[in-house]
Amino acid sequence: MINVALERAYAPFFGEIKDQLRIAHIMSTSHDSVHNMDFGLSQDQRLTPGAQVVGRVASILRVLSVNMPRGIGTSAVARMTGLSRPTAHRLLGALGEQGFVDRDQFTGTWLLGPELYLMGSVAAERYDITELAREHVAALADETGESAFLSARRGGETICLLRQDGSFPIRSFVLYEGKRFPLGVASAGLAILSFLTEAAAERYITQAELEARYGPAHSSNALRERVTETREQGYAVNPGLIVKGSWGMGAAVFNRAGQPAWALSLTGIEPRFTVSRQRELGRLLLHHAHRLTKRLSSG
């Protein structure tokens, strides 16, 4: 059967090639449990001994990851994770003893450690799609002149994995490799959020509380409207909602289970994203997202 999410994402521009959108599994409510674990701790997880410590360690590692390669101080880690400074220092020290983080002896800043590099190299064999995606990111940059990206979903966030700048000399630097955004904020995250199951998307929107940090344009109701619009168009548009004048567009890339796990996106200045040009950029994004999805499903 045709994957419902894929069909909905690509139908506006690929209705004539539905037969090419057949992927192994169909998105259904049975996948809902997969999304449940992504947004916060469940009651069972909260009762699990050590779960709080694991959550704190994970938040520290994420903070370090977005501050590579310059590193970050203990006080800043504490502030960004919501931990007390003594707790952050104690956990950083324990992670350092195991090689998961490293400390620059000259500056005192913390960085990701060699053990994570080794583990990441092993995990990349299963999760890394950057080599497959690289040609699509490069083609998008070449065909549009804009900056093109590949982002991956990690729970309730997206993280940028690849950036390729196009020929147009004025660029947006809101998104760069290693940058994280909550789902629904940047165009990549909006594209992914829009093609989750309706139950999973609504659960996230209800719990995310993005308005306090990103402004009223990210209220629950505003986000629901953009999700609906994205589902209708097949691609997401971010009209300068993060930084005024910096626009973005994104299209979801699906894994073998039919879940939106990555996104291809474009960013640039507002005059380059006129209504008439958005349609052409949308076609290109959907074309490459569709091709990459097909390659991943047949690999």
Side-chain angles (χ1 to χ4, degrees):
M1 297 178 68
I2 296 176
N3 179 288
V4 174
L6 287 176
E7 182 179 8
R8 185 167 59 186
Y10 297 133
F13 300 102
F14 294 98
E16 71 278 13
I17 52 171
K18 276 187 178 181
D19 289 342
Q20 297 182 30
L21 302 183
R22 297 179 184 277
I23 306 297
H25 301 278
I26 182 168
M27 180 80 81
S28 69
T29 54
S30 64
H31 289 118
D32 226 21
S33 60
V34 175
H35 300 296
N36 279 338
M37 66 181 182
D38 289 333
F39 309 127
L41 293 175
S42 67
Q43 184 175 359
D44 289 342
Q45 288 172 312
R46 286 195 295 269
L47 296 175
T48 301
Q52 185 181 49
V53 174
V54 172
R56 289 174 171 179
V57 167
S59 67
I60 286 174
L61 294 177
R62 290 191 182 103
V63 166
L64 264 60
S65 73
V66 299
N67 285 279
M68 292 290 286
R70 62 187 180 277
I72 184 172
T74 305
S75 296
V77 170
R79 184 176 64 256
M80 296 178 70
T81 57
L83 300 173
S84 68
R85 192 183 188 285
T87 297
H89 183 74
R90 184 174 68 252
L91 291 174
L92 284 164
L95 288 166
E97 290 176 2
Q98 300 299 320
F100 291 111
V101 304
D102 198 7
R103 194 172 196 184
D104 189 307
Q105 297 303 311
F106 295 100
T107 65
T109 56
W110 297 93
L111 306 100
L112 296 180
E115 192 66 28
L116 281 181
Y117 167 75
L118 295 173
M119 288 184 174
S121 298
V122 175
E125 295 182 9
R126 178 176 182 184
Y127 297 106
D128 186 17
I129 71 162
T130 53
E131 289 310 309
L132 279 177
R134 196 176 300 276
E135 68 178 76
H136 296 286
V137 173
L140 281 167
D142 182 61
E143 293 167 9
T144 66
E146 312 302 337
S147 296
F149 307 86
L150 170 72
S151 296
R153 178 190 175 201
R154 289 296 299 128
E157 297 180 314
T158 57
I159 179 169
C160 178
L161 302 180
L162 283 177
R163 174 179 178 133
Q164 177 71 51
D165 290 324
S167 59
F168 190 71
I170 304 176
R171 295 164 184 160
S172 167
F173 292 95
V174 174
L175 190 59
Y176 49 85
E177 291 178 1
K179 178 65 176 178
R180 292 174 182 262
F181 278 114
L183 294 182
V185 175
S187 59
L190 178 58
I192 290 172
L193 175 64
S194 299
F195 292 102
L196 296 177
T197 63
E198 292 189 11
E202 179 57 30
R203 181 166 53 249
Y204 174 82
I205 291 171
T206 301
Q207 298 175 1
E209 298 182 352
L210 301 176
E211 186 174 2
R213 180 173 180 182
Y214 294 98
H218 295 88
S219 68
S220 295
N221 287 337
L223 191 52
R224 289 187 185 97
E225 290 178 6
R226 286 201 293 281
V227 164
T228 298
E229 183 179 79
T230 300
R231 288 171 176 167
E232 291 173 351
Q233 295 179 146
Y235 55 82
V237 178
N238 176 9
L241 298 180
I242 303 172
V243 174
K244 186 176 180 180
S246 177
W247 283 49
M249 295 179 62
V253 174
F254 297 81
N255 62 20
R256 290 186 180 184
Q259 300 175 51
W262 306 273
L264 294 172
S265 61
L266 295 165
T267 68
I269 60 173
E270 183 176 356
R272 301 276 291 175
F273 286 75
T274 60
V275 173
S276 59
R277 192 166 187 247
Q278 283 178 34
R279 186 170 179 83
E280 179 57 30
L281 295 177
R283 285 182 180 274
L284 287 170
L285 281 165
L286 288 168
H287 171 69
H288 285 284
H290 167 64
R291 285 184 56 200
L292 182 53
T293 293
K294 291 283 287 182
R295 293 178 69 183
L296 292 169
S297 67
S298 61

